[in-house]
Amino acid sequence: MLLPRLREEVLEANLELVRRGLVLYTFGNASGISRDQKLVVIKPSGVPYDKMKPEHLVITNLEGRIAEGNLRPSSDLPTHLVLYKAFPEIGGVVHTHSEYATAWAQAQRDIPVYGTTHADHHTVSIPCAPPMEDEMIKGDYEHQTGFQVLNYFRDHELNYEEVEMILVGSHAPFTWGKTPEKAVYNSAVLESIAKMAYLTEQINSNAPTLKDALIKKHYERKHGPDSYYGQ
Ligand SMILES: [Zn+2]
């Protein structure tokens, strides 16, 4: 079997999405990439998570041609491939319809920096790309979804290594990271931030965003040159 370790990692990432309550039934998908071999490991389409074994995962090349596997890959594979090709440092991609993050996508709103959990991870709002144009939807939809993400990052000069997540308007979130595990972590963090931001606006619809000093403090203690958070 090709890439046994990466198969295990990607299976574990998919199961973690279930354990964290980020997916319902077979919705959602996680993948990982071997940059050496230029092969992607992704969840098969429509297989229940509790029945999923490493051998069920599908391995494709960067053009989506199956290198190993008898099952069909997740229908969102083309989106993952676009992101892997454009973002050379990422090792994993996750797509879910987790409820709070998806609600922000459906409301077509960026998630403002209301709290320090957000600032621990990002200094800017979590971006929401606009809904896709009809022509993109009618065409190769999943492939074009990847370009909707790329276009937004390019137009807004966002750095994919600093902002590892996006909401696609009228759809749902995509996250990525250095590993499949980190991409799942980002999905869970995004869901938590989305929920807290929603609750914040319910309690106070004029809630202020976080002060710059707090954004800077929280981000830099984790990510700055003098970071001191963690071991
Ligand atoms: Zn979706």
Side-chain angles (χ1 to χ4, degrees), residues 84-212:
Y84 283 128
K85 284 196 247 188
F87 299 163
E89 299 300 325
I90 66 174
V93 173
V94 167
H95 174 52
T96 77
H97 290 184
S98 67
E99 291 169 350
Y100 286 89
T102 300
W104 283 85
Q106 291 176 178
Q108 298 176 28
R109 282 190 58 196
D110 294 351
I111 305 177
V113 188
Y114 284 128
T116 59
T117 315
H118 188 141
D120 284 336
H121 297 86
H122 299 110
T123 58
V124 294
S125 299
I126 292 166
C128 182
M132 291 161 64
E133 301 287 342
D134 290 2
E135 285 312 308
M136 294 175 90
I137 295 167
K138 284 186 213 147
D140 188 350
Y141 174 61
E142 290 81 8
H143 188 72
Q144 293 296 339
T145 300
F147 284 99
Q148 189 74 352
V149 173
L150 299 190
N151 292 343
Y152 192 91
F153 266 66
R154 184 199 58 213
D155 294 347
H156 294 79
E157 295 177 351
L158 292 170
N159 178 334
Y160 74 91
E161 290 184 276
E162 283 168 18
V163 179
E164 296 179 316
M165 55 188 67
I166 191 168
L167 309 171
V168 174
S170 303
H171 183 185
F174 288 83
T175 65
W176 50 85
K178 292 246 180 245
T179 63
E181 185 186 11
K182 184 71 198 308
V184 171
Y185 168 87
N186 284 332
S187 283
V189 167
L190 167 59
E191 181 64 2
S192 173
I193 291 169
K195 182 175 182 177
M196 287 189 280
Y198 167 75
L199 292 171
T200 301
E201 292 192 355
Q202 295 309 300
I203 296 165
N204 178 359
S205 58
N206 291 314
T209 53
L210 207 59
K211 297 202 287 192
D212 282 347

